[in-house]
Amino acid sequence: MIEEGSKSSKSMVEKRQLFMEMRAQNFDVIRLSTYRTACKLRFVQKRCNLHLVDVWNMIEAFRDNGLSTLDHNAEINVSRLETILSSIFYQLNKRLPTTHQINVEQSIGLLLNFIVATYDSEGHGKLTVFAMKAMLATMCGGKILDKLRYVFSQISDSNGVMVFAKFDQFLREVLKLPTAVFEGPSFGYTEHSVRTCFPQQKILLNTFLDVLMADPPPQCLVWLPLMHRLANVENVFHPVECSYCRSESMMGFRYRCQQCHGYQLCQSCFWRGHASGPHSNQHQMKEHSSWKSPAKKLSHAISKSLGCMPIGEPPHPVFPEAAERPQDLAHTTTLESPSRLDEEHRLIARYAARLAAEASNSSQCPPSDLSFNFDANKQQRQLIAELENKNREILQEIQRLRLEHEQASQPTPEKAQQNPTLLAELRLLRHRKDELERRMSALQESRRELMVQLEGLMRLLKDEEQKQAAQTGTSPHSSPSHSASCTMPMPIRSTSAGSTPTHTPQDCLAGVGDDVLDAFSQGVPRNLRNDLLVAADSITNTMSSLVKELHSVDDGLEEEEENMRNGREKMSSLKHSGKRHSTPSL
């Protein structure tokens, strides 16, 4: 009892695993039910690895498991369904290269639980053949045109006319898929769904394809072509900035507003209803599934204006109005299928047995028949040799195709150039380069300001020199202290070769006086940072020299005043003494 309870609990966990993973993707934040349903079913398709199975491989699996001869209303149990799914995924692994093998058991378990939860919710343990065909043909990979052609072959009569009752049954089964991913209120089955899709009385193949592949398609099946478009644009790159999230590139769909000029949104922002500025969610948006450069757009417009492009191309090729036969692929096999190899071995064994039988009978034949038997044996041996050579060529072709597939699956430099991670790193490097150039410009501007301040200080020194010369009556160039203070060699260093300055040193010193230019014209090119340090040290030395010069001027003036004051005192004392003795003082 304990083991049975553990098995049942494990089965319940496996049944809920796919739905728990789907809820973790947070698809419910998408505000539009069509995109929400398509994203959920696309997730189920990829998680179960159904996107790797083409619709023609699915039809072949139906034929190999004997489903093509069963009635649509016939029922199969879960164990047989598991056998069919096992053959589908094991054949898929044989077609895939060794580096891209899938987990077959996990894929079978996830898909089996999803089908049972979708089509056997009451727990009867059975489902109809038509339900399984409709579900697998809808959820597998391949082109939507091929899928719809196969569906039409299952719901039409021998005259190639659609049977409304069968199409109604198809809608009942296929619309259980949105219900299984909790989107039943938006895309559930109604009794009026058939007449809503086809109000006409006689529906042939081309009419069926026109309606279901129209833009827009019938409301109940609008999620089906969208799921295929999602698969086609998953790796499409748009080098455009999103107007809301400011992402510099987009993957998937791109949406352009028809009212706001230049307003574009990535698929994530559009699906969640984000808007900014004057843009509103009520504006009409156009969906783009590819990126065209301005040059391509110009050539497209010119070709269209000159009438070089066809107008009004049909969405699908036009097929003959004859009856569409069921696509059972009765005479088609894969290159590596076991049945083909078994048939070749049986054919070789049959010819070998016939040769042995004819060799044993040749001993009993009269001599007149020996030449005839010899010619027949020779022809048979030639036929066997031809079959063996053909078999060898087929095996070589298989090996060549496998090598080409493995080479195509390996990453190339062209693919690496389209890698969003590499593009993001390149954009980051460009941004860093622009930031360094701006910083270099700011440092050069600070350097120019320091040069201007230095020129002002030198001008102050000259003014003080002239004032001192005017007071003392000496030439400004006769003072040794002046020549020592004004001779300030300042080697200015240019930017290093590895940097990318936005201004030249001549531009940075624009507006600076001749003295500073002369002072900075000496020396060899060095680093800009050292230039700033040398300039700062030179300004400090200049200030120190200026202060010393001012102190020396003040000391000289004080000494001269003291001498003059002593002289006046001596003169006055001599005058007083002269008057006292009536003798001249000098």
Side-chain angles (χ1 to χ4, degrees):
M1 295 294 293
I2 297 176
E3 292 180 358
E4 293 180 357
S6 61
K7 289 182 180 179
S8 61
S9 62
K10 182 179 179 181
S11 177
M12 291 298 294
V13 170
E14 291 178 351
K15 288 182 179 180
R16 296 176 182 176
Q17 178 182 355
L18 184 62
F19 296 99
M20 293 172 63
E21 292 179 1
M22 185 179 65
R23 288 183 181 275
Q25 299 296 319
N26 201 19
F27 291 121
D28 292 329
V29 300
I30 302 176
R31 64 186 183 96
L32 300 176
S33 60
T34 305
Y35 288 96
R36 192 168 58 244
T37 305
C39 289
K40 290 180 178 180
L41 292 177
R42 175 63 178 168
F43 172 78
V44 173
Q45 182 191 47
K46 295 181 66 176
R47 189 66 181 84
C48 297
N49 290 315
L50 278 175
H51 66 295
L52 301 176
V53 183
D54 192 81
V55 62
W56 302 107
N57 301 126
M58 194 65 72
I59 297 170
E60 180 188 353
F62 295 159
R63 177 188 59 81
D64 292 341
N65 289 275
L67 299 180
S68 300
T69 58
L70 294 179
D71 186 75
H72 283 176
N73 296 322
E75 293 183 342
I76 58 175
N77 54 24
V78 177
S79 60
R80 186 173 181 184
L81 174 62
E82 186 175 2
T83 303
I84 296 171
L85 298 181
S86 299
S87 67
I88 292 173
F89 286 112
Y90 277 111
Q91 289 295 329
L92 171 63
N93 252 0
K94 290 181 180 180
R95 292 189 298 269
L96 294 176
T98 56
T99 57
H100 292 74
Q101 297 289 300
I102 64 171
N103 190 338
V104 175
E105 297 298 332
Q106 184 182 26
S107 301
I108 294 172
L110 290 175
L111 184 56
L112 181 64
N113 291 328
F114 180 75
I115 295 177
V116 171
T118 304
Y119 294 98
D120 189 28
S121 57
E122 298 179 359
H124 297 302
K126 294 183 178 180
L127 70 158
T128 63
V129 173
F130 186 74
M132 190 192 66
K133 284 184 176 181
M135 183 271 173
L136 292 177
T138 303
M139 293 295 293
C140 69
K143 298 179 180 180
I144 187 174
L145 178 64
D146 298 332
K147 292 183 180 182
L148 294 178
R149 287 184 61 195
Y150 173 73
V151 169
F152 187 82
S153 68
Q154 300 296 309
I155 63 175
S156 58
D157 57 13
S158 58
N159 297 321
V161 180
M162 188 187 76
V163 180
F164 279 87
K166 292 184 177 180
F167 180 69
D168 181 75
Q169 184 182 3
F170 169 74
L171 286 182
R172 287 177 185 269
E173 303 299 342
V174 80
L175 290 179
K176 289 180 182 179
L177 293 173
T179 304
V181 294
F182 315 106
E183 297 295 335
S186 300
F187 300 103
Y189 171 80
T190 62
E191 297 179 354
H192 306 287
S193 299
V194 178
R195 289 300 174 185
T196 303
C197 297
F198 298 103
Q200 305 93 333
Q201 295 297 326
K202 184 179 180 181
I203 305 299
L204 300 177
L205 174 60
N206 292 319
T207 307
F208 180 79
L209 297 177
D210 289 339
V211 173
L212 295 188
M213 297 184 66
D215 188 16
Q219 180 61 29
C220 60
L221 295 174
V222 69
W223 50 270
L224 181 58
L226 179 58
M227 186 175 68
H228 286 78
R229 296 205 309 272
L230 277 174
N232 294 331
V233 302
E234 282 183 347
N235 298 319
V236 174
F237 177 76
H238 305 268
V240 183
E241 181 182 16
C242 178
S243 300
Y244 182 83
C245 66
R246 298 302 176 185
S247 175
E248 296 183 357
S249 60
M250 304 180 190
M251 294 293 292
F253 287 119
R254 173 171 55 92
Y255 298 88
R256 176 185 287 273
C257 181
Q258 301 299 296
Q259 299 183 26
C260 304
H261 177 71
Y263 194 89
Q264 301 188 82
L265 293 176
C266 61
Q267 67 178 18
S268 179
C269 294
F270 176 74
W271 289 353
R272 286 158 176 76
H274 294 161
S276 60
H279 178 70
S280 171
N281 290 330
Q282 305 302 322
H283 292 180
Q284 184 179 2
M285 303 289 287
K286 185 176 180 181
E287 183 181 275
H288 295 272
S289 59
S290 62
W291 163 255
K292 292 182 180 179
S293 62
K296 288 185 178 180
K297 291 181 180 179
L298 179 60
S299 62
H300 180 82
I302 294 175
S303 301
K304 189 174 181 180
S305 62
L306 295 177
C308 300
M309 299 184 61
I311 300 175
E313 293 184 354
H316 62 85
V318 179
F319 296 95
E321 297 297 341
E324 184 77 3
R325 288 184 151 187
Q327 307 290 332
D328 57 356
L329 298 180
H331 304 287
T332 305
T333 56
T334 58
L335 290 176
E336 297 184 83
S337 62
S339 60
R340 183 184 182 92
L341 297 177
D342 293 341
E343 290 176 0
E344 291 177 353
H345 290 305
R346 285 196 298 268
L347 183 62
I348 295 173
R350 191 183 305 121
Y351 278 110
R354 183 180 299 177
L355 288 174
E358 291 178 353
S360 62
N361 293 331
S362 63
S363 59
Q364 303 175 0
C365 293
S368 60
D369 296 332
L370 290 177
S371 61
F372 175 78
N373 292 332
F374 178 79
D375 294 336
N377 292 337
K378 183 178 180 181
Q379 293 177 358
Q380 290 171 357
R381 283 194 295 269
Q382 290 177 353
L383 181 59
I384 292 175
E386 291 176 0
L387 290 174
E388 289 178 349
N389 291 332
K390 186 175 181 180
N391 188 26
R392 194 178 301 108
E393 291 175 359
I394 291 174
L395 294 177
Q396 291 177 357
E397 183 68 14
I398 291 172
Q399 186 67 20
R400 185 183 65 81
L401 292 174
R402 180 178 296 171
L403 291 175
E404 290 180 358
H405 184 74
E406 291 178 355
Q407 291 176 359
S409 62
Q410 293 177 356
T412 59
E414 289 78 12
K415 294 182 180 178
Q417 291 178 1
Q418 298 176 358
N419 192 344
T421 305
L422 295 179
L423 293 175
E425 292 179 357
L426 289 176
R427 286 193 294 271
L428 183 61
L429 290 175
R430 293 194 188 99
H431 179 72
R432 179 63 177 168
K433 176 185 175 183
D434 296 338
E435 183 180 354
L436 291 175
E437 289 181 352
R438 290 193 296 269
R439 185 176 178 185
M440 184 69 68
S441 301
L443 291 175
Q444 291 176 350
E445 183 65 22
S446 301
R447 177 188 177 188
R448 192 188 66 82
E449 293 178 357
L450 290 174
M451 298 303 103
V452 173
Q453 294 177 5
L454 182 59
E455 182 186 11
L457 293 176
M458 296 177 70
R459 190 179 297 113
L460 288 175
L461 285 175
K462 288 184 178 181
D463 294 342
E464 287 296 330
E465 249 179 37
Q466 293 174 358
K467 290 180 181 179
Q468 184 179 1
Q471 292 177 359
T472 59
T474 60
S475 174
H477 297 284
S478 62
S479 175
S481 63
H482 167 74
S483 59
S485 62
C486 291
T487 305
M488 296 179 298
M490 295 175 60
I492 302 300
R493 302 169 185 176
S494 62
T495 56
S496 61
S499 60
T500 310
T502 56
H503 302 284
T504 61
Q506 289 81 3
D507 296 335
C508 297
L509 298 176
V512 181
D514 295 336
D515 295 331
V516 179
L517 289 176
D518 294 339
F520 278 83
S521 62
Q522 303 174 3
V524 294
R526 300 178 187 172
N527 193 283
L528 178 60
R529 181 179 177 185
N530 295 333
D531 292 348
L532 296 177
L533 294 176
V534 171
D537 294 340
S538 301
I539 292 174
T540 304
N541 296 332
T542 303
M543 291 295 296
S544 301
S545 302
L546 178 61
V547 171
K548 291 179 181 179
E549 186 73 20
L550 292 176
H551 281 304
S552 62
V553 170
D554 292 339
D555 293 340
L557 291 175
E558 289 178 359
E559 184 178 358
E560 193 170 335
E561 289 179 356
E562 182 68 23
N563 293 331
M564 292 178 66
R565 187 165 49 253
N566 293 334
R568 284 194 297 269
E569 289 178 356
K570 289 181 180 179
M571 289 291 293
S572 59
S573 60
L574 290 174
K575 288 180 181 180
H576 288 298
S577 61
K579 290 179 180 179
R580 189 179 306 118
H581 299 284
S582 299
T583 58
S585 60
L586 291 177

